[in-house]
Amino acid sequence: MLTADNTGVLHNFSPGPALLPAAVLEQAAVGIADFCGAGLSLLELSHRSEAYRRLQGEAMERWLRLYAVPEGYDVLFLQGGASTQFAMVPLNLLGAGDSADYVSTGRWSEKAIDEAAAVGVRHRVAASSADRNHSYIPRADQLDLDAAARYLHITSNNTIFGTQYPESPAVGTAPLVIDASSDLLSRPIAWERIGLLYGGAQKNAGISGLTVVCIRRDLISCRGSGVPTMMRYDTHAAADSLYNTPPTFAVLVLDLTMRWIEEQGGLAMVDAANRHKASLLYEVIDGDGFYEGHAEPAARSLMNVVFRIPADRALEPEFVSRAGEEGLIGLEGHRAAGGLRASIYNAMSVEGCRGLAEFMVAFRGRFG
Ligand SMILES: *Cc1c(COP(=O)(O)O)cnc(C)c1O
């Protein structure tokens, strides 16, 4: 296949599961063949073994160090995806009579809100960007907050609509609960107001099967009643995330991904690279009216660049197929937002973004 930079490498812009650094794939393959020189594959190793427990402990420590998480938080390695957290958060954090606030900024926030309704807890929508098809992030002064809310739930990066909080909102007194599935480990974050941050690993932090929950210790004990054992944070915290069999291989891939981030110089360096990569694409989008970004500039995501070809939407499938011929794959938008989407997580190279930017310019030259 002909590729944009003639390296023969495909540039994978898929939203998730998404691309991984080449070094991570290579080292993960070693872990499958022979984990820690023990002569056994990690895939056939007991989660109670010394070797696995060491890996998991190191991965948890690396998470806390890399994210500069202050004292007082635990990290849990769970399963069930972010979608399971939509139910676990309200089940654990809300007791009888408690209520929570949610900000709706897209499909995933809506699902979190639906799930709070499904488990029957009291909750309110403090603000929603649905009025303009989730193209913006409500400002702090637009939030209608309940002073008694136990938490305020936000989605830090909206994978489908391509918006992202530039920083966590500093409003009210309730701790923030953040679904960070699609910008996990993409930038340093301020933990002061965060009570719980969760995300599936498969977009920016590894592979599917692992959900990371980072929770302030005072929120761990379950306030809900009748919550099944597996759905309780205190079950997993008390057992060091070994209450049942954890997704052992996905934990290895997370650890390798975090080691790769350390080699890049940590989250501040990765963040700078992400800003540069995104700017290459947004510059083309802003170049003239041929492309149009979905997100308002102030709310643009550094992870998912969502755009369309407003003058002729029929050109969008043509864009996807011609890009594919040049090795630029995974560019179709989500059915809820339509158009085109380039997911440019940590592992996407500058060359990949430059290749896509050049393709966009050439495509515009030909069809604009
Ligand atoms: C992908 C995604 C989810 C769903 O994650 P699963 O791990 O598949 O349950 C939830 N929230 C956001 C922001 C996502 O991008």
Side-chain angles (χ1 to χ4, degrees):
M1 185 176 291
L2 239 147
T3 60
D5 56 4
N6 292 319
T7 56
V9 176
L10 293 176
H11 291 299
N12 178 9
F13 294 92
S14 157
L19 80 172
L20 291 161
V24 169
L25 289 177
E26 279 162 26
Q27 291 158 29
V30 173
I32 291 179
D34 182 0
F35 183 61
C36 288
L40 274 182
S41 168
L42 174 57
L43 302 182
E44 46 188 11
L45 200 63
S46 166
H47 60 293
R48 308 278 172 206
S49 67
E50 180 63 32
Y52 176 73
R53 294 177 74 113
R54 190 175 332 113
L55 163 70
Q56 183 172 297
E58 281 178 14
M60 287 176 168
E61 275 169 31
R62 201 181 309 284
W63 169 278
L64 295 170
R65 198 165 60 236
L66 192 57
Y67 246 141
V69 182
E71 190 40 49
Y73 290 77
D74 272 357
V75 55
L76 308 177
F77 289 165
L78 309 181
Q79 301 188 60
S83 302
T84 297
Q85 294 309 306
F86 297 164
M88 274 179 81
V89 165
L91 283 172
N92 283 268
L93 271 52
L94 301 180
D98 292 342
S99 179
D101 279 349
Y102 283 75
V103 182
S104 174
T105 50
R107 279 291 283 139
W108 296 117
S109 317
E110 285 163 1
K111 288 197 163 189
I113 294 164
D114 289 349
E115 206 60 13
V119 300
V121 295
R122 288 176 53 202
H123 62 286
R124 298 163 68 256
V125 177
S128 168
S129 54
D131 57 335
R132 297 207 300 276
N133 198 20
H134 297 304
S135 59
Y136 70 103
I137 298 288
R139 290 191 319 269
D141 63 6
Q142 292 172 317
L143 304 187
D144 169 25
L145 296 174
D146 171 4
R150 298 286 311 179
Y151 62 84
L152 171 64
H153 182 283
I154 66 166
T155 312
S156 54
N157 183 74
N158 297 283
T159 328
I160 294 172
F161 294 96
T163 60
Q164 186 176 25
Y165 282 80
E167 57 198 25
S168 301
V171 285
T173 49
L176 288 171
V177 171
I178 305 183
D179 174 3
S181 290
S182 51
D183 61 359
L184 271 190
L185 296 172
S186 70
R187 55 181 178 179
I189 49 179
W191 286 92
E192 298 82 69
R193 307 206 50 257
I194 297 176
L196 190 158
L197 177 137
Y198 66 90
Q202 69 273 16
K203 282 161 184 145
N204 206 26
I207 59 171
S208 60
L210 171 65
T211 313
V212 185
V213 170
C214 197
I215 182 170
R216 219 171 61 195
R217 272 188 211 119
D218 62 295
L219 298 175
I220 289 176
S221 81
C222 185
R223 291 175 65 83
S225 56
V227 180
T229 310
M230 273 295 287
M231 299 287 283
R232 297 170 62 117
Y233 295 123
D234 49 14
T235 299
H236 298 286
D240 286 331
S241 297
L242 287 164
Y243 174 75
N244 74 323
T245 316
T248 54
F249 184 63
V251 169
L252 173 66
V253 180
L254 169 70
D255 192 51
L256 294 172
T257 303
M258 293 191 294
R259 284 172 187 263
W260 177 83
I261 293 171
E262 286 174 341
E263 280 160 22
Q264 309 305 300
L267 293 180
M269 295 300 282
V270 161
D271 182 35
N274 288 337
R275 286 173 194 282
H276 174 57
K277 289 183 295 177
S279 75
L280 294 172
L281 302 183
Y282 287 122
E283 247 166 53
V284 177
I285 289 169
D286 291 339
D288 63 27
F290 183 73
Y291 299 107
E292 180 180 68
H294 180 73
E296 287 180 2
R300 281 174 166 174
S301 170
L302 301 176
M303 300 278 101
N304 311 96
V305 178
V306 176
F307 59 105
R308 53 191 160 248
I309 302 177
D312 185 358
R313 302 294 302 268
L315 281 176
E316 290 164 1
E318 182 75 19
F319 180 102
V320 170
S321 83
R322 284 181 186 250
E325 285 164 18
E326 302 209 14
L328 306 164
I329 61 170
L331 288 161
E332 42 295 279
H334 188 276
R335 60 199 180 279
L340 303 159
R341 168 172 56 173
S343 297
I344 50 171
Y345 300 117
N346 288 350
M348 174 54 65
S349 61
V350 176
E351 295 73 53
C353 285
R354 202 171 281 134
L356 176 57
E358 283 165 9
F359 172 81
M360 289 169 72
V361 170
F363 190 87
R364 177 170 67 199
R366 172 141 190 197
F367 295 99

